[in-house]
């Protein structure tokens, strides 16, 4: 969204030891610790965040290839991961090419698009537990569901993961990635800051269609707006505040509930001093 105040302490570690050290320090000192990837699905409060923000991103990224498996560090972008898969002629990760997040963030929320989800390709994950232990967990131990996992509940920090793909045809993989990229560009308001899909898909419905049918396409609070290009997205037209976005999300949820009796649950994660 390009919205939000400062972090008290901001740390960008370069290796596993630094991640462990920061996590241990926060625990010993009783300081809140928030693990941040690329922040692509977050709304950060106007007043910023308490404690330590540990950003596992560019400083902690990299991909190793072993046959049809990729071992991916948590800070690696999904776009880089899908390009690496393409270069190795591996299929199964095309869906993630346009998702603007990190691999670690994608594990936490079982990210997905175009019928694909992390749960379909993830084999195992290496995590740091809240007790400072490094554990390797099978994908089925993560309780991966629709935009959810048990990573946050168990206070794990994702360090890296292994995805298992299949041999494919390079031209076909590239064609599928190009098709998804074009669909994204055509249908989504990529020219404005946003946090992707604002609401989770309610069972039996499409969030964007409900919002549009409620007459809320283009609805605005301050500089926050329901996108005129795709009603499932709330965008920042330039100077929106976190409270503008929160008010707009609340208004939209209320109006959809009132008109259709459907409860809308935000997919955007709210963090900081609200």
């Amino acid at each position: 969204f390009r919205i939000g105040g400062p972090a008290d302490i901001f740390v960008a570690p370069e290796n596993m030891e630094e991640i462990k050290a920061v996590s241990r320090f926060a625990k010993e000192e009783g300081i809140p610790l928030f693990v941040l990837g690329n922040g692509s699905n977050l709304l950060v409060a106007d007043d910023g965040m308490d404690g330590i923000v540990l950003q596992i991103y560019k400083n902690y990224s990299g991909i190793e290839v072993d046959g049809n498996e990729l071992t991916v560090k948590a800070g690696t972008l999904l776009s880089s991961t899908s390009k690496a898969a393409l270069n190795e002629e591996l299929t199964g990760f095309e869906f993630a090419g346009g998702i603007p997040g990190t691999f670690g963030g994608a594990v936490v929320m079982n990210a997905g698009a175009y019928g694909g989800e992390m749960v379909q390709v993830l084999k195992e994950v290496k995590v740091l537990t809240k007790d400072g232990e490094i554990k390797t967990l099978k994908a089925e131990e993560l309780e991966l569901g629709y935009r959810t996992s048990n990573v946050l509940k168990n206070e794990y920090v994702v360090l890296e993961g292994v995805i298992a793909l299949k041999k494919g045809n390079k031209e076909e993989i590239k064609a599928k990635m190009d098709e998804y990229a074009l669909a994204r560009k055509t249908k989504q308001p990529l020219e404005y800051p946003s946090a992707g899909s604002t609401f989770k898909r309610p069972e039996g419905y499409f969030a964007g269609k409900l919002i549009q049918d409620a007459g809320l396409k283009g609805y605005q609070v301050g500089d926050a707006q329901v996108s005129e290009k795709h009603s499932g997205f709330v965008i920042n037209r330039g100077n929106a505040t976190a409270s503008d976005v929160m008010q707009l999300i609340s208004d939209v949820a209320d109006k959809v509930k009132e008109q259709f009796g459907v409860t809308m649950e935000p997919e955007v994660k709210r963090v900081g001093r609200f």
Side-chain angles (χ1 to χ4, degrees):
F1 274 122
R2 303 208 183 138
I3 287 174
D8 289 344
I9 303 165
F10 189 89
V11 189
E14 292 180 4
N15 54 55
M16 215 178 277
E17 287 313 306
E18 289 183 358
I19 295 169
K20 274 178 83 170
V22 173
S23 178
R24 188 172 59 240
F25 174 78
K27 191 174 183 222
E28 285 169 359
E29 300 294 329
I31 299 170
L33 178 72
F34 180 77
V35 181
L36 173 72
N38 191 24
S40 52
N41 69 327
L42 298 183
L43 176 64
V44 180
D46 297 317
D47 289 341
M49 296 184 67
D50 293 320
I52 300 170
V53 174
L54 175 68
Q55 187 180 40
I56 299 179
Y57 186 29
K58 289 177 182 168
N59 286 354
Y60 189 73
S61 61
I63 300 166
E64 282 174 27
V65 183
D66 180 12
N68 70 329
E69 293 184 352
L70 303 184
T71 300
V72 188
K73 284 187 175 173
T76 313
L77 286 170
L78 293 173
S79 53
S80 310
T81 310
S82 66
K83 277 182 196 135
L86 169 68
N87 292 339
E88 297 296 325
E89 298 186 24
L90 294 171
T91 183
F93 208 65
E94 294 89 335
F95 74 89
I99 300 173
T102 60
F103 187 84
V107 170
V108 172
M109 65 176 292
N110 185 26
Y114 303 113
E117 284 184 317
M118 290 298 288
V119 68
Q120 296 164 3
V121 293
L122 194 64
K123 184 183 175 185
E124 61 185 39
V125 174
K126 195 177 276 185
V127 299
L128 177 66
T129 70
K130 59 181 174 186
D131 300 321
E133 188 191 343
I134 290 176
K135 260 188 177 176
T136 299
L137 302 170
K138 295 281 174 221
E140 44 272 28
E141 294 178 79
L142 297 172
E143 297 170 21
L144 295 161
Y146 176 59
R147 303 295 171 265
T148 181
S149 71
N150 63 17
V151 173
L152 294 178
K153 185 177 76 184
N154 292 332
E155 295 177 50
Y156 294 146
V157 178
V158 176
L159 299 170
E160 63 181 44
V162 178
I163 51 172
L165 305 174
K166 293 186 175 77
K167 269 288 170 201
N169 173 291
K170 198 167 187 177
E171 280 70 38
E172 287 173 15
I173 296 166
K174 175 86 167 67
K176 198 181 267 192
M177 285 170 69
D178 289 347
E179 181 195 326
Y180 291 158
L182 182 64
R184 232 171 231 284
K185 200 174 172 186
T186 313
K187 294 175 181 162
Q188 298 181 8
L190 303 181
E191 59 276 27
Y192 290 101
S194 83
S197 298
T198 308
F199 294 95
K200 292 181 180 178
R201 191 174 61 240
E203 207 157 318
Y205 298 92
F206 289 102
K209 185 165 187 332
L210 283 170
I211 294 165
Q212 189 169 324
D213 291 349
L216 294 167
K217 184 181 256 200
Y219 177 73
Q220 221 164 315
V221 174
D223 249 4
Q225 183 184 37
V226 173
S227 165
E228 292 174 299
K229 195 172 184 181
H230 188 317
S231 298
F233 286 65
V234 170
I235 58 170
N236 174 5
R237 292 192 61 87
N239 297 305
T241 62
S243 38
D244 289 342
V245 175
M246 283 307 302
Q247 186 61 55
L248 189 145
I249 287 175
S250 169
D251 290 354
V252 167
D254 288 348
K255 289 192 169 116
V256 167
K257 178 79 174 169
E258 193 182 296
Q259 288 193 42
F260 305 109
V262 179
T263 301
M264 303 281 276
E265 194 187 332
E267 189 170 308
V268 175
K269 301 276 183 284
R270 192 177 70 167
V271 292
R273 306 182 191 110
F274 272 96

